[in-house]
Amino acid sequence: MNISKFVTPEIIFGCGSLNQIGDSALRLGAAKAFVVSDDEVIKAGWVDAAIDYLKQAGLETEIFSDLTTNPKDNEVNKGLEKYLESGCDAIIAVGGGSPTDVAKAIAILATNGGKLSDYEGINKITRPLPPMVMVPTTAGAGSEVSQFTIIVDSQRKLKMSIISKSLVPDIAIVDPELLKTKDSELAAATGVDALTHGIESFVSLAATPLTDIHALNAVQLISKNLRQAVEDRNDIEANTNMAMASLSAGIAFSNAILGATHAMTHQVDGLLDHHHGETNASILPHVMEFNLDTVPVKFKAIAKVMGQHIDGLNLSEAATLSVDAVNELLSDIGLAKGLAEFGIKDEMIRTLSTNALNDACLITNPREATLQDIEAIFRKAL
Ligand SMILES: [Fe+2]
């Protein structure tokens, strides 16, 4: 048997669990917490609530929120400067994937020095990071449990994947109540990101029985709950199931890595600053078609948990239904769109594909992909 490793943070899950944030930071030895968030989450009131709990526990705080969707290296540098000036000794994120990834990137530079591109790829971080507590406000990125941070290199206009066990936060607090303030569009896009994490990690070359169980659980929960979560943002059952789905997908992809969809979306997001979940929606079905014949048993399992009727079908027919199930879901939540709608043109495909070949996520795609393969998938996804 091959040797595999499996890492997760301590996970605190449940409605109202935000009130654990002060105690969590204290248990990690923090005295002053650097809270990374964004303007939308601050407006929703979650940062005030988190800071109240931190103060009740006796901690001082400093807030940093000068960041955007698809966070950039220069935003991380600003955050680092503020962190170093502030005298903080722990990093907390309250937000979606962007604040969480920025928080992790600040943590890297705070104790390891240099520039972010020095750490691009797998296991380049050598020194321990400050204590980290992550509180997601979206159900999608999974960054609160993952060993990933994805930051745009503003010079090269692409997303860098930085992957290291030391990026797994110490504590993840997943409170489904926090999801109700995001709108339907964001719920749809982030939900598709989680779906993509579940599917890509399930068929990944680095998948193990420990990651498979979380990946399939995520795909099933998303298939059953995302439509309702998009329809009614106050449905606490749908939000709780989506929070669990995102968490499960995050645990799965953190340990099994991802695949060609993410290797490709990272390039589009870096170029156009487009929402990562929507880019995934355009590309995922085409990458699934590309991978179908390589791991049909796995795609059959995906079709089954997504509610497709596979009895009496041969393996290939059953596996293909996984793509149908994804396309139906994307159509139902309004995300069955081609990349051309977001501004991708044929002449951009060569550069996007060349950069995708260098993305660490491509290494674990179940079927080896050449430059021509990636270009062909991009053209189908236009
Ligand atoms: Fe993603």
Side-chain angles (χ1 to χ4, degrees):
M1 184 179 172
N2 292 330
I3 294 172
S4 62
K5 294 179 184 173
F6 187 84
V7 286
T8 66
E10 174 182 338
I11 297 165
I12 302 173
F13 185 94
C15 290
S17 59
L18 180 63
N19 69 8
Q20 302 292 305
I21 194 169
D23 179 57
S24 297
L26 272 188
R27 285 194 286 117
L28 297 172
K32 186 171 183 183
F34 192 71
V35 179
V36 182
S37 189
D38 66 31
D39 291 345
E40 289 302 311
V41 176
I42 291 173
K43 228 184 283 170
W46 301 122
V47 173
D48 281 349
I51 284 178
D52 280 350
Y53 289 127
L54 289 163
K55 285 190 171 157
Q56 282 170 29
L59 282 107
E60 288 184 75
T61 57
E62 180 85 36
I63 301 175
F64 175 72
S65 62
D66 198 2
L67 55 89
T68 51
T69 306
N70 297 312
K72 324 289 180 288
D73 46 8
N74 53 324
E75 295 164 354
V76 173
N77 292 337
K78 273 192 222 162
L80 173 69
E81 211 173 295
K82 192 166 180 185
Y83 175 78
L84 294 174
E85 282 168 9
S86 68
C88 288
D89 52 10
I91 298 184
I92 290 178
V94 180
S98 302
T100 311
D101 279 358
V102 167
K104 290 179 175 183
I106 291 171
I108 297 171
L109 298 181
T111 53
N112 285 262
K115 55 188 189 309
L116 270 182
S117 54
D118 298 338
Y119 305 98
E120 186 176 5
I122 299 172
N123 288 337
K124 302 272 178 67
I125 300 168
T126 53
R127 297 200 186 107
L129 306 190
M132 294 190 283
V133 179
M134 305 292 169
V135 185
T137 59
T138 62
S143 185
E144 70 278 4
V145 289
S146 82
Q147 49 183 326
F148 284 57
T149 181
I150 312 287
I151 302 290
V152 173
D153 181 323
S154 43
Q155 294 280 307
R156 289 182 290 159
K157 288 196 179 304
L158 53 79
K159 276 183 166 176
M160 297 178 280
S161 296
I162 301 174
I163 308 171
S164 171
K165 264 197 296 300
S166 51
L167 288 175
V168 176
D170 297 280
I171 301 176
I173 299 175
V174 183
D175 183 344
E177 289 276 355
L178 274 56
L179 301 182
K180 67 187 179 194
T181 49
K182 63 175 181 168
D183 62 27
S184 287
E185 286 75 25
L186 189 57
T190 51
V192 172
D193 191 23
L195 177 70
T196 311
H197 295 158
I199 291 174
E200 292 217 289
S201 58
F202 187 61
V203 302
S204 160
L205 290 176
T208 69
L210 278 175
T211 58
D212 280 352
I213 194 159
H214 293 288
L216 264 194
N217 182 45
V219 174
Q220 183 162 38
L221 284 170
I222 293 162
S223 178
K224 286 185 174 167
N225 292 279
L226 181 55
R227 291 174 179 85
Q228 178 60 19
V230 171
E231 173 81 25
D232 179 1
R233 297 299 312 123
N234 289 309
D235 185 325
I236 193 64
E237 191 184 336
N239 281 341
T240 301
N241 285 330
M242 284 305 300
M244 183 54 80
S246 172
L247 181 62
S248 296
I251 292 168
F253 92 77
S254 174
N255 289 285
I257 320 293
L258 292 158
T261 310
H262 272 78
M264 295 169 71
T265 55
H266 288 158
Q267 318 317 320
V268 176
D269 302 339
L271 184 69
L272 295 185
D273 213 2
H274 191 63
H275 193 283
H276 172 62
E278 291 194 7
T279 320
N280 277 330
S282 301
I283 295 175
L284 174 66
H286 304 287
V287 169
M288 288 174 74
E289 275 174 0
F290 177 76
N291 288 331
L292 269 181
D293 292 342
T294 310
V295 277
V297 173
K298 288 235 157 167
F299 281 107
K300 178 183 171 183
I302 290 169
K304 189 174 179 193
V305 298
M306 292 191 79
Q308 297 292 303
H309 299 293
I310 58 170
D311 292 347
L313 300 181
N314 67 34
L315 181 57
S316 171
E317 290 165 344
T320 304
L321 287 183
S322 64
V323 185
D324 294 357
V326 167
N327 280 326
E328 282 164 25
L329 179 56
L330 294 176
S331 171
D332 289 348
I333 60 171
L335 283 182
K337 297 175 183 174
L339 290 172
E341 278 191 56
F342 313 133
I344 293 293
K345 297 184 171 63
D346 199 85
E347 59 264 31
M348 298 171 178
I349 287 178
R350 173 54 62 96
T351 304
L352 290 170
S353 304
T354 306
N355 291 338
L357 275 187
N358 294 322
D359 191 289
C361 291
L362 195 63
I363 298 167
T364 46
N365 193 68
R367 179 176 166 191
E368 203 172 327
T370 63
L371 179 65
Q372 287 70 32
D373 291 330
I374 300 283
E375 286 184 349
I377 298 169
F378 265 127
R379 289 211 165 81
K380 283 185 185 166
L382 274 180

